[in-house]
Amino acid sequence: MGTSSVAETAGTGQPAGPGRVLAALALAQFICSFAGSNMNVMINDISRDLGTTVQGVQVAITVFLLVMAALMIPGGKLTDRYGRKRCFLAGLLVYAAGALLSAAAPGLGVLILGNSILEGVGTALLIPPVYILTTLLYPDVTSRARAFGVVMALGGIGAAAGPLIGGLITTFVSWRAAFVFQALVIGVIVLLGRRIEDPLPPDPGRSFDTKGAVLSAVGLVLVVMGILAADNNVWLMVALLVSGALVLWWFFRSARAAEASGREPLLSPRLFENRTSNLGLVTQNLQWLLLMGTSFTVAAYLQVVRGYDAIQTGVVFTAATLGLLATSLSAERLARRHAQRTLVMAGFAVSVAGVVVLIALAGTFATAWAFVPGLLLIGLGLGVMLTPSVNVVQSSYPEEQQGEISGLSRSVSNLGSSFGTAIAGTILVAGLDKGAYAAAMSALAVAGLGGLAAAARLPRQ
């Protein structure tokens, strides 16, 4: 199936070209990634306006990322039943409703409902179709690398530029206007994507594993909540982590039993029999852990300790945005010249070097310029490896399994984002004035080294 099949003739008789469709898919990834990082520069503004704390804002951000991670696998499965285009558009509408509710939030509870819950649910519905459609519409490795390069570039830029764009909007208008901006972008995506053709017909009779969906979501929520509880109550943390692990064990056992009896589980355990895909999933998780963990840690440190406002904090992150843009938009050229394993390894090595530079220079110099070299290196490294990691996973499975693997892939990536914000944020909030910045960044560096080790085990070709 070539890119010419992307277009669909609507009532106007005008086809939607491949560029228009790819723009819709890439913008969707952009706005969801933007939502995960732009609040990092609004910590002080939101805290003052809603009468909450840095930890309250951290919880809102983490719950948003967690809802995405917990519901991404069910969201991927629903695309098989109801169709990729229908889920994509439904997710956009739910997301827009959440953004508008967040803009009008009178308190932290309503902000969590709009941003963390509704936007999280909307993202879980719309993101799996982005990756399924990109995989199906671009069948060969080179064209798929080009398409994923655009999608991942916009996603990475959304996460990296979120602080800058959010800072500009917050400073010159209000933090609430940042959510109105998200709703407006969603409107543009709906216009661009309304004539997308679904390459595979929906299968309304396909079963849906409700029990598996509940177990997987509850297990992931308990694990992340356990991490968030670390700085308040160690015993509560242990109880939540153990409970989460047991629920996830129950989920996988239930999935095996369902598959053995001939029923279709939410997630086939056989997906984890592919060694290459497993390693690719690990690298995806740790990439987003690095990106979102760095974003929250540096943004919170600059605002709370250094006293920077939203726009000053956002400007500092321009270095990461430029670095990520420079390398991610070269994904097609890099894919032709280098093995995907090489690119992922190089990306982790450069990113870890960036974290080390961030720790060293921030502890030595008081100027904002001290953060630029490290953030630039992290952006360059992430841009190199985001696309090949996705391509490794998506290309490991045939068309009929794209719904499952896309949901799993996005869930693993968003779980990494949740872990990054939860782990680094918990370390940071526990002692902002007691060297917690260096400790949080060191934890991220260790995670990056784990990603490098996983990438080294990928196939050479």
Side-chain angles (χ1 to χ4, degrees):
M1 187 180 300
T3 57
S4 62
S5 66
V6 174
E8 177 189 62
T9 302
T12 60
Q14 296 179 348
R20 181 184 179 124
V21 171
L22 186 56
L25 301 178
L27 269 178
Q29 178 63 76
F30 166 83
I31 201 62
C32 293
S33 298
F34 170 85
S37 68
N38 83 110
M39 281 178 63
N40 291 337
V41 298
M42 307 174 191
I43 292 172
N44 286 339
D45 296 85
I46 293 176
S47 298
R48 285 194 300 265
D49 196 7
L50 300 185
T52 184
T53 63
V54 173
Q55 192 171 25
V57 180
Q58 179 204 7
V59 168
I61 296 170
T62 303
V63 171
F64 166 69
L65 298 169
L66 177 57
V67 169
M68 284 196 295
L71 299 182
M72 203 66 74
I73 296 175
K77 293 292 286 187
L78 288 175
T79 63
D80 295 325
R81 187 170 184 173
Y82 298 108
R84 281 119 308 257
K85 178 181 177 180
R86 188 177 298 173
C87 287
F88 181 66
L89 295 177
L92 290 172
L93 295 177
V94 174
Y95 188 104
L100 293 174
L101 181 61
S102 299
L108 182 63
V110 176
L111 179 66
I112 289 176
L113 174 61
N115 172 249
S116 307
I117 305 302
L118 290 180
E119 287 191 28
V121 171
T123 302
L125 285 172
L126 71 91
I127 287 299
V130 169
Y131 289 83
I132 298 169
L133 289 169
T134 303
T135 301
L136 296 179
L137 297 171
Y138 296 88
D140 63 276
V141 173
T142 302
S143 67
R144 187 178 294 165
R146 182 192 308 123
F148 272 129
V150 174
V151 172
M152 296 309 299
L154 266 292
I157 290 169
L164 174 60
I165 299 172
L168 290 169
I169 296 174
T170 300
T171 300
F172 292 109
V173 189
S174 163
W175 65 267
R176 298 177 186 275
F179 290 101
V180 177
F181 167 76
Q182 293 178 45
L184 292 175
V185 174
I186 292 296
V188 173
I189 298 170
V190 171
L191 290 176
L192 289 173
R194 59 193 174 91
R195 291 200 303 271
I196 290 176
E197 180 184 12
D198 199 334
L200 298 175
D203 184 6
R206 191 158 182 173
S207 62
F208 182 77
D209 183 6
T210 304
K211 177 183 176 182
V214 172
L215 289 176
S216 64
V218 171
L220 294 176
V221 167
L222 288 172
V223 169
V224 176
M225 289 299 104
I227 296 172
L228 289 174
D231 63 327
N232 292 323
N233 189 317
V234 174
W235 290 111
L236 177 60
M237 175 196 73
V238 172
L240 289 171
L241 290 175
V242 171
S243 298
L246 289 174
V247 172
L248 290 175
W249 172 79
W250 185 7
F251 164 68
F252 283 108
R253 182 177 180 181
S254 175
R256 289 193 185 94
E259 198 165 58
S261 64
R263 292 178 286 115
E264 183 178 2
L266 178 73
L267 186 69
S268 172
R270 285 180 293 180
L271 287 177
F272 295 98
E273 295 175 0
N274 188 313
R275 179 177 178 273
T276 299
S277 173
N278 289 343
L279 291 170
L281 289 171
V282 171
T283 62
Q284 282 186 32
N285 180 277
L286 294 174
Q287 286 162 13
W288 285 96
L289 186 154
L290 264 175
L291 175 56
M292 299 306 293
T294 299
S295 179
F296 181 85
T297 302
V298 174
Y301 177 76
L302 289 175
Q303 291 172 88
V304 179
V305 177
R306 296 286 181 95
Y308 286 26
D309 61 22
I311 192 169
Q312 290 172 322
T313 304
V315 169
V316 170
F317 277 91
T318 304
T321 306
L322 293 176
L324 199 148
L325 181 63
T327 48
S328 60
L329 290 181
S330 303
E332 180 186 3
R333 179 169 53 84
L334 291 171
R336 287 199 302 264
R337 297 182 179 182
H338 306 284
Q340 294 180 118
R341 172 181 179 269
T342 302
L343 295 176
V344 179
M345 289 182 65
F348 273 113
V350 173
S351 296
V352 171
V355 174
V356 173
V357 170
L358 271 177
I359 296 172
L361 294 185
T364 305
F365 302 98
T367 174
W369 290 104
F371 293 87
V372 171
L375 289 174
L376 177 63
L377 286 172
I378 291 173
L380 289 169
L382 288 167
V384 166
M385 62 181 168
L386 284 176
T387 297
S389 284
V390 171
N391 217 355
V392 163
V393 175
Q394 298 289 147
S395 301
S396 298
Y397 297 92
E399 289 185 0
E400 60 270 17
Q401 289 185 292
Q402 284 301 313
E404 275 188 303
I405 193 58
S406 178
L408 175 61
S409 172
R410 293 304 86 210
S411 178
V412 166
S413 294
N414 284 299
L415 192 60
S417 298
S418 299
F419 284 157
T421 305
I423 296 172
T426 297
I427 296 173
L428 187 70
V429 172
L432 274 169
D433 57 346
K434 300 175 183 177
Y437 166 78
M441 295 304 297
S442 297
L444 296 176
V446 171
L449 291 175
L452 179 61
R457 300 181 64 188
L458 286 169
R460 292 184 179 276
Q461 297 298 326

